[in-house]
Structures are given as C-alpha cells and as structure tokens.
Amino acid sequence: MTANRNDSPETQCIHAGAGDFPAPFGLNTPIVTSSAFDYRSEPVRYPRYHNTLNHDTVAARLAALEGGQAALVTASGMGALSAIFLGLMQPGQHAILLDGLYGGTTDLVEGLLKPLGMRFSIWNGDPDHLEGLITEHTRLIHVESPTNPLLGIVDLARVAEIARRHGLISLIDNTFASPVLQRPIRFGFDLVMHSATKYLGGHSDLLSGAVIGSEALLDRIRPTAIRLGSSLNGQDLALLERSLKTLVVRVRQQSSSAGELAVRLNRHDAVSQVFYPGLGDHPGHALAQAQMDGFGGMLSFRLAPEIDPDAFLDRLDLIQPAVSLAGVESSICQPAQTSHSRIAATERERLGIDDRLMRLSVGLEAIDDLWDDLSVALHPS
Ligand SMILES: Cc1ncc(COP(=O)(O)O)c(C=O)c1O
C-alpha cells in the first residue's frame, strides 16, 4: 500500500506510512525487536535514534494524520514536550504559555526549564493580549485546546497568525482533541504534540508521546530527543500502530457519548457546573464549532455542595476512578488530586480546580449504562 494515497483520516489511520513487506509477513508491520544493527548501513539504525521500522511507520502515520511533514514518536507525552522545549530554547530565551495547561507541563516549566534559565509568561487566552507578552527574547508560544481539565478553547488561527508575524514557533498540545477532531497545522500551527498515552493509544495499556511538524523543526528537536533517551520500543510502537487503526471510530463515538452526558449532567441538580465545549453556553462553543469536527470525549463537572466527592467516587461502579484518560473504558478523576496535584494549592484555587471538580473521560460503553452509573452516584447519601 502506498502511503498517503487517500488523505481521509479513516484511511490514513489504517494505511498511512505502511510499508510493503514480503508475503510471509502478512498484512501487519513486523515488530522489530533488535537493538543492534549493522553500522555500515545508512542511516545507522538504533532504537534510541528513533529510526527503527516500527518507529518510522508510526511516525509517518501520525505526520499524515496531523498534516505535517515529519513526526517523532517518544516514550511519553512529557518526553515529547521536554525534547521540544530543550531542543528549541536556550537559557535566557522566553516562551509564552497558555494559562491553565496540563499540570505536568507546568511542573516541567517550574521544575526544570525555569531552573535552567528559560523564562515564561502566562497568557490568559485572549488573542488581544497575546502580542503584548512578546519580547525580543520570545521564541515559542505553547497552548492546549481544549485544555486539561477545564476544556478551555483557544482561537488557533489567531495564535498561529500572531506567532508567524513575529517569527515565533507555535506549539499546541492536541491530546484532548486528537487529529480526528482537530488538525492545528491546517490553522497555521508549526508543531503539534500528543500524549499518545491518551486517544492515540486509547486502551490504557501504553505510555507514549509524539511531536509532528516540518522536517526543519523536527531536525532541531530530534538530537535532543536522542540525548534525552526518550524513544519508544518496538513492541509498544506496534501496539500504538494497532491502536491508531481504530482511532477515528473510537474518538467519534466517545465524542458523541460525551456530548449526550454533558447535556444530562448539565440538567442534574447535584451538578453545579459542566465544562464541555459542545454546550451552547460554553464560552468557547462557537470557536470549537468552527475549528473542531466534534467536541471530544472529555468533560469536567463540579459537584454541588451537598455531594461529598469521596462518597460520589465510591458510589460509581462502572466508571473507574483513575489517572490518565481516553481509554475505551470510562474513567474519572479529581484533577486536584491527580494531574494538578503538583501545582501550588493557591494556583489550583485561582484556576478553579478543587476537590469537587471531576474530569470524566467517556469511553465506549453504552450511554445509558454510563448515565445509570452517574445518576446513582449523584444521589446524595
Ligand atoms: C493534555 C496532556 N498533555 C500531556 C500529558 C503528558 O503525557 P504523558 O503522561 O504521556 O507523559 C498529559 C498526561 O496526562 C495530558 O493530559
């Protein structure tokens, strides 16, 4: 099969980047487990160089899905993010970060990048305020959309345009949307990164990450990724390739079920607030409608004061309290205790991330089974 024969995501998920192998291998990419290769061949292959057969196949598929020229698959989302920042920025240089990013990203900035001498400004998401933060030292603008966990939406075309006009690199964490629902490179973004642990993997059995962009930018990031040793092994790359084949059907179904649950939760007396860009009263609804092909499988909601958060979680039967997200099984967590536990309590309070805030990752179970589970748990004891 020739890669990129058809550029619809359904077909790309299954065929993009796939090689032609001798008949005895059958239809699937063989799993290469070797860590030693003939050094006289060109290029010299080695798993840490991110250039094995399984790496190249998955990277080509992700590049096609996101509409980029090249991709790098890493051992985690944070591996991708670390390689991007450390590969593209020097001490003394400055980046602009969207307010309310994933807690691990904030932790990377506070715990590693700032101590190394990189500088950061926080942007409130209003495009009219973005240019005022740019200095002569600024190199990069990093956003998420939708954000984790409050599902904030950023105007992708405006961010990309401002970055381009000022010669800055625009980077987006596209984990929550996945390339099925949002392709930021089409809006002018330079780089897209993923925690591939989430929708791309999709079965809660794989830790991985990815960055997609131009050949030129990937050439600047790859040496740092190699130095950091953040490559993924052949077995997990094969697992990721297999998972990508069902990405479109999984994400569309999860997005549809999340939309329905968001409406039902919004009407429930035991829920004081629902955060979901598909709801008409969400501040980013119109933007999300314009730049996404669906609103996603993630939603957050705040329990009303009469519901004890621990008792609520204990009463759930089908929906599993768990860190991580985007598996075929529905899961739920308190971001204050998980993804955002390492950021300061005052900062969590400012963002509105308290113990009553629940982040729900909607899986592939029957919608009525999920609703029954939530309804029972939402009943005050
Ligand atoms: C939006 C987002 N970005 C990045 C990450 C980090 O990814 P990983 O855990 O694969 O390193 C996560 C993990 O939860 C995430 O939710």
Side-chain angles (χ1 to χ4, degrees), residues 209-238:
V211 51
I212 301 107
S214 65
E215 296 277 10
L217 277 175
L218 267 291
D219 283 349
R220 286 176 59 193
I221 295 165
R222 195 173 292 106
T224 303
I226 291 172
R227 289 180 193 118
L228 290 171
S230 59
S231 60
L232 192 63
N233 63 76
Q235 280 100 340
D236 281 347
L237 282 159

Side-chain angles (χ1 to χ4, degrees), residues 75-81 101-105 144 146-148 173-176 193-198 206-209 324-325 339 359:
S76 69
M78 293 315 298
L81 211 53
L101 291 174
Y102 164 64
T105 306
E144 284 172 23
T147 57
N148 179 4
D173 183 334
N174 203 26
T175 299
F176 265 37
M193 64 80 48
H194 283 275
S195 167
T197 314
K198 309 302 186 308
L206 173 66
L207 191 77
S208 53
S324 202
L325 56 103
S339 58
R359 190 191 69 192

Side-chain angles (χ1 to χ4, degrees), residues 69-113:
Q69 292 174 340
L72 191 67
V73 186
T74 55
S76 69
M78 293 315 298
L81 211 53
S82 308
I84 295 167
F85 276 103
L86 293 168
L88 297 179
M89 284 182 60
Q90 301 291 325
Q93 292 182 339
H94 171 253
I96 298 171
L97 308 175
L98 178 68
D99 197 10
L101 291 174
Y102 164 64
T105 306
T106 310
D107 184 58
L108 173 72
V109 167
E110 296 297 330
L112 182 65
L113 304 180

Side-chain angles (χ1 to χ4, degrees), residues 24-361:
F25 286 106
L27 298 191
N28 292 320
T29 310
I31 303 176
V32 175
T33 56
S34 294
S35 59
F37 294 80
D38 187 339
Y39 61 89
R40 296 162 303 174
S41 59
E42 186 56 44
V44 176
R45 291 189 196 275
Y46 185 55
R48 187 163 51 78
Y49 297 168
H50 302 79
N51 63 2
T52 58
L53 171 68
N54 299 101
H55 178 275
D56 289 350
T57 305
V58 176
R61 191 157 306 173
L62 291 176
L65 272 168
E66 286 287 5
Q69 292 174 340
L72 191 67
V73 186
T74 55
S76 69
M78 293 315 298
L81 211 53
S82 308
I84 295 167
F85 276 103
L86 293 168
L88 297 179
M89 284 182 60
Q90 301 291 325
Q93 292 182 339
H94 171 253
I96 298 171
L97 308 175
L98 178 68
D99 197 10
L101 291 174
Y102 164 64
T105 306
T106 310
D107 184 58
L108 173 72
V109 167
E110 296 297 330
L112 182 65
L113 304 180
K114 279 189 183 174
L116 284 176
M118 296 175 194
R119 290 180 278 162
F120 296 88
S121 296
I122 303 298
W123 172 50
N124 66 4
D126 179 349
D128 292 337
H129 291 174
L130 185 53
E131 285 191 274
L133 299 174
I134 297 172
T135 75
E136 57 177 310
H137 303 291
T138 310
R139 294 292 177 273
L140 192 144
I141 303 176
H142 176 47
V143 303
E144 284 172 23
S145 187
T147 57
N148 179 4
L150 292 171
L151 288 300
I153 303 292
V154 160
D155 187 334
L156 300 186
R158 293 258 336 251
V159 173
E161 185 276 318
I162 292 169
R164 188 134 306 179
R165 195 150 35 79
H166 290 268
L168 309 178
I169 297 165
S170 49
L171 163 68
I172 180 167
D173 183 334
N174 203 26
T175 299
F176 265 37
S178 91
V180 177
L181 303 182
Q182 180 168 275
R183 298 186 181 203
I185 290 173
R186 285 194 183 159
F187 293 92
F189 264 75
D190 297 309
L191 287 174
V192 176
M193 64 80 48
H194 283 275
S195 167
T197 314
K198 309 302 186 308
Y199 285 106
L200 304 185
H203 295 73
S204 307
D205 57 3
L206 173 66
L207 191 77
S208 53
V211 51
I212 301 107
S214 65
E215 296 277 10
L217 277 175
L218 267 291
D219 283 349
R220 286 176 59 193
I221 295 165
R222 195 173 292 106
T224 303
I226 291 172
R227 289 180 193 118
L228 290 171
S230 59
S231 60
L232 192 63
N233 63 76
Q235 280 100 340
D236 281 347
L237 282 159
L239 204 51
L240 181 54
E241 185 191 347
R242 191 186 63 170
S243 295
L244 286 174
K245 294 179 185 183
T246 55
L247 180 68
V248 172
V249 283
R250 283 188 282 110
V251 169
R252 287 203 182 132
Q253 181 57 48
Q254 285 163 314
S255 182
S256 152
S257 296
E260 177 60 32
L261 288 177
V263 170
R264 295 189 195 183
L265 285 166
N266 210 21
R267 287 196 210 114
H268 202 289
D269 290 343
V271 173
S272 64
Q273 220 176 347
V274 178
F275 303 85
Y276 186 67
L279 293 175
D281 61 357
H282 185 282
H285 178 65
L287 253 182
Q289 206 158 26
Q291 64 193 25
M292 297 177 75
D293 293 327
F295 301 103
M298 297 299 305
L299 64 94
S300 292
F301 57 96
R302 204 181 306 283
L303 294 171
E306 65 272 20
I307 306 290
D308 176 70
D310 293 329
F312 166 76
L313 290 170
D314 286 344
R315 282 194 292 265
L316 286 170
D317 180 36
L318 188 61
I319 301 172
Q320 298 293 312
V323 293
S324 202
L325 56 103
V328 292
E329 66 291 304
S330 295
S331 65
I332 195 162
C333 77
Q334 290 161 290
Q337 304 289 339
T338 55
S339 58
H340 289 63
S341 61
R342 299 190 67 181
I343 67 175
T346 47
E347 181 61 6
R348 279 203 302 270
E349 200 178 321
R350 183 185 71 78
L351 293 168
I353 298 175
D354 58 20
D355 278 348
R356 318 190 74 72
L357 183 74
M358 299 286 160
R359 190 191 69 192
L360 177 62
S361 168

